[in-house]
Amino acid sequence: MGDYFERIVDVEVTGQEAESLAERVVDWMVAEGLITRGRSSDGMYSLQVDDGYEPGPNWQRAVADSSDPTWIPGPVAVIVGRDHHVGGQGMSEADSATCPRCDATTVIIDYPNAWEADQAAWQPFSDGIDTWKETGEGSVTCSSCGASVPVTEWQFGSGFDLGALAFDFWGWPPLSVSFHTELSKQLGHRIEVQSGKF
C-alpha cells in the first residue's frame, strides 16, 4: 500500500519567475473550482512543502475518470524553487542522459544488469544539478562531443526532470490529457508528467 501522486513539472520556468507564476496558476485553479484556499497535510508527502491546497467542488473536471463517487482526492502541493523531481519510488538519479548537441546517451543505471547508478557516470550530472540549484546555471561536458551543455538542456531518462515549479496531486485519479494541456497553456511552458508513490 502507499499514497500515490501525479506530478506536473514546469521544465522551462526560471527560478525568478516561479513564485509569481505559481500564484497565478493557483488563482486560476481556485477560480475553476479545482482547489480551494484551504490547506491540509493529510495524505500528502511532498518532501519540499508541508501542506497543500484542498480539492475544490469541481476537482472532477481535472481527471480522466470521475465515475467513482466515493473517491476523495488529497491536497495539491505547489513546489517552488529549482529542484530535481523524480517519479517512481526511491529514485534519486536519472537512469540516462542524452546530449542535445550530438544525441549521445550516457547510461547511468544499466537496467536490467544493474539497479543502482554508476556513480562515476552520474557525478558530473549531480555536480551540474547542484550548481544549477544554487545559482540557476550549471553545465555538464558531454563525453562524446566535448560540448559544455547547460544541465537543464540534457534529456534525462523517464521520470527525472529539472524544474523550478511543480504541482503534486496527491490521491487524485489520473489527470486528463485536456487538463495537462490547459495547465501547460496557463503556465505558458512545456511540462513533464510524473507519477509515483510514497
Side-chain angles (χ1 to χ4, degrees), residues 78-178:
V78 180
I79 303 163
V80 177
R82 290 185 293 269
D83 211 340
H84 70 282
H85 300 277
V86 294
Q89 183 177 20
M91 296 171 55
S92 58
E93 301 98 353
D95 58 11
S96 65
T98 300
C99 174
R101 305 292 188 266
C102 70
D103 212 32
T105 297
T106 301
V107 175
I108 297 165
I109 305 176
D110 187 17
Y111 297 123
N113 300 317
W115 296 94
E116 294 184 1
D118 177 336
Q119 289 304 317
W122 177 241
Q123 195 63 53
F125 296 97
S126 178
D127 292 344
I129 290 168
D130 287 345
T131 301
W132 168 75
K133 287 180 184 180
E134 293 174 14
T135 69
E137 295 181 6
S139 60
V140 178
T141 300
C142 177
S143 59
S144 292
C145 69
S148 179
V149 180
V151 72
T152 52
E153 294 181 19
W154 283 82
Q155 299 160 11
F156 292 101
S158 176
F160 187 98
D161 297 294
L162 302 178
L165 177 58
F167 301 85
D168 287 357
F169 292 76
W170 284 93
W172 288 51
L175 300 172
S176 67
V177 172
S178 61

Side-chain angles (χ1 to χ4, degrees), residues 17-99:
E17 300 168 325
E19 188 168 357
S20 61
L21 183 56
E23 291 172 1
R24 285 203 317 270
V25 171
V26 166
D27 288 345
W28 169 73
M29 286 197 286
V30 169
E32 292 292 314
L34 306 177
I35 59 174
T36 70
R37 297 281 179 192
R39 306 293 287 258
S40 174
S41 60
D42 292 343
M44 196 201 88
Y45 304 97
S46 299
L47 299 177
Q48 302 91 335
V49 295
D50 295 326
D51 59 20
Y53 295 94
E54 295 177 337
N58 300 327
W59 66 266
Q60 296 95 335
R61 293 181 184 171
V63 303
D65 181 1
S66 59
S67 60
D68 183 350
T70 65
W71 197 305
I72 302 174
V76 176
V78 180
I79 303 163
V80 177
R82 290 185 293 269
D83 211 340
H84 70 282
H85 300 277
V86 294
Q89 183 177 20
M91 296 171 55
S92 58
E93 301 98 353
D95 58 11
S96 65
T98 300
C99 174

